[in-house]
Amino acid sequence: PSGHLACCSANLPTSSDIDPAGDDGADDNPTKQFGILTYTGNSTTGQSLTGLGFKPDLIWAKMRSSSQDNQLFDSSRMNTRGTPTPFMLRSNATDAEIDDQAQGNNNPMIASFDTDGFTLGTSGSGPNDNNRTYVAWCWRANGGTIVTNNDGTMTSNVQANTKAGFSIVTYTGDGSDGTVGHGLSKAPEYVISKRRDGTGSWYTYHVGAGVGYVELNSNITFQAGSVPFGSSAPTASVVGATSANRVSGQNFIYYCWHSVEGFSKFGSYEGNSNNNGSFIYLGFRAKYFFLKEIDVNDDWVAYDTARSTFNPVQKVLRYDSTGAEFDGSSRAVDVTSNGLKIRTSNNTINASTTYIYGAWGDASAKYNNTF
């Protein structure tokens, strides 16, 4: 029929914003928006980590070989005392953000965000313990350039990568239920929120769960309701902020993402308690993904193809735990050119319940690359 195309991988949809064959050339590529670095720590020596291919704005680091916090650094939350290095938040804890001095020294944990990666400082408190192995998941926002956003009832400070569907939002609560501008071109489907200057849970909105929250720092089930993102889903301009997320004078951060065709996707799937598990269609080859059961208490589990270099991928880290990397066939998943195939009946990822997921890729299925 007129206007229709043949059913073949070359005609699969992909966003023009991240298509490597697009108008923006090399920068118009999934690998320039998200990447992974693996490395071995060297304690207080410090080291420059390269090969990422872009300047990161959010670094999520986790020790693999032993127990340590999930450590989050971003270019919007800079330490203004001395060297302008970023504060650290920990997804497995409810504590406030901390800086180098709070850890007992004046040396930076992260010395700089660089054009091809980042430089670890000479602090003994960051993600750099001697002879320990690490992974760092890295997202690109706007190079640390922040703009004021007045779309919501509370003014926010935003740096956004609209092509890749990712923004970092900071704001101060005004005491009233309201909204916060996120700076993206579409409604966020995955939002992580945290109070910065005091104790508070990591509240997470996810499109696959609906209006309500799941705590990132615990394994609890989905909690439906208007707390803390409001009674409506995020819109193309704002995310809600109610209850704990709008307390007057308190400082908060939101990390916001939406799906981008051929690069990232957020949704839900139903498990089947079978080793021949569910298939999750993504439309791209996943480089990194997380899964979370929401009907029953269970962990947030994260996989990537930098740590697991062949199928099935089965090296697991957890957002809500300090635990070391788990490597076992009971958590096995196949990464295909266009999605994920669950290869286990393990309850954490494939009971007969509902799961949410998020994934970022490095190659659209349009270009027919397998793992």
Side-chain angles (χ1 to χ4, degrees), residues 91-313:
S91 69
N92 50 271
T94 59
D95 301 347
E97 64 186 6
I98 56 175
D99 64 5
D100 315 305
Q101 292 179 345
Q103 293 288 80
N105 62 77
N106 291 315
N107 301 319
M109 291 178 279
I110 302 291
S112 61
F113 297 91
D114 306 326
T115 56
D116 191 32
F118 60 94
T119 298
L120 290 161
T122 54
S123 168
S125 305
N128 195 28
D129 284 10
N130 195 40
N131 293 324
R132 299 293 192 181
T133 57
Y134 286 87
V135 64
W137 305 306
C138 303
W139 287 264
R140 176 184 178 184
N142 195 31
T145 300
I146 299 168
V147 298
T148 300
N149 184 298
N150 293 308
D151 290 340
T153 61
M154 288 175 271
T155 299
S156 60
N157 296 300
V158 177
Q159 60 161 318
N161 181 347
T162 55
K163 288 190 172 186
F166 170 55
S167 68
I168 302 171
V169 180
T170 59
Y171 69 96
T172 301
D174 65 4
S176 300
D177 288 350
T179 56
V180 177
H182 53 68
L184 298 176
S185 60
K186 298 179 182 178
E189 296 170 284
Y190 179 46
V191 180
I192 300 174
S193 72
K194 178 69 178 74
R195 180 185 174 190
R196 300 170 53 192
D197 51 2
T199 300
S201 291
W202 288 80
Y203 294 113
T204 301
Y205 166 82
H206 195 287
V207 66
V211 176
Y213 71 91
V214 185
E215 285 187 355
L216 197 69
N217 53 278
S218 76
N219 67 0
I220 67 167
T221 61
F222 169 66
Q223 308 294 304
S226 61
V227 176
F229 298 107
S231 57
S232 302
T235 72
S237 58
V238 298
V239 180
T242 68
S243 186
N245 278 7
R246 51 77 165 155
V247 177
S248 181
Q250 293 183 358
N251 295 314
F252 299 89
I253 189 161
Y254 280 9
Y255 300 117
C256 303
W257 288 270
H258 65 70
S259 299
V260 176
E261 194 76 52
F263 167 61
S264 61
K265 191 170 183 181
F266 307 93
S268 63
Y269 69 94
E270 297 297 320
N272 64 8
S273 299
N274 193 299
N275 286 336
N276 183 16
S278 303
F279 176 73
I280 305 166
Y281 177 77
L282 301 174
F284 55 87
R285 181 182 63 192
K287 190 169 188 175
Y288 167 69
F289 61 95
F290 69 81
L291 309 173
K292 172 70 173 83
E293 189 172 15
I294 60 172
D295 294 335
V296 179
N297 290 357
D298 217 328
D299 291 323
W300 294 82
V301 289
Y303 299 74
D304 63 67
T305 59
R307 293 178 295 124
S308 296
T309 56
F310 53 86
N311 278 323
V313 296

Side-chain angles (χ1 to χ4, degrees), residues 10-80:
N11 290 329
L12 287 172
T14 189
S15 169
S16 60
D17 289 333
I18 54 85
D19 189 342
D23 295 335
D24 291 340
D27 288 337
D28 202 9
N29 192 308
T31 61
K32 298 295 185 179
Q33 322 303 329
F34 170 79
I36 303 168
L37 292 174
T38 58
Y39 64 95
T40 300
N42 63 3
S43 192
T44 57
T45 304
Q47 57 180 315
S48 177
L49 301 172
T50 60
L52 192 60
F54 61 90
K55 183 180 180 180
D57 291 297
L58 170 60
I59 300 168
W60 188 323
K62 180 69 181 76
M63 183 188 286
R64 302 169 56 192
S65 53
S66 188
S67 296
Q68 193 178 62
D69 292 317
N70 286 261
Q71 302 180 7
L72 282 75
F73 306 87
D74 65 71
S75 59
S76 289
R77 296 178 300 114
M78 303 300 285
N79 183 358
T80 57

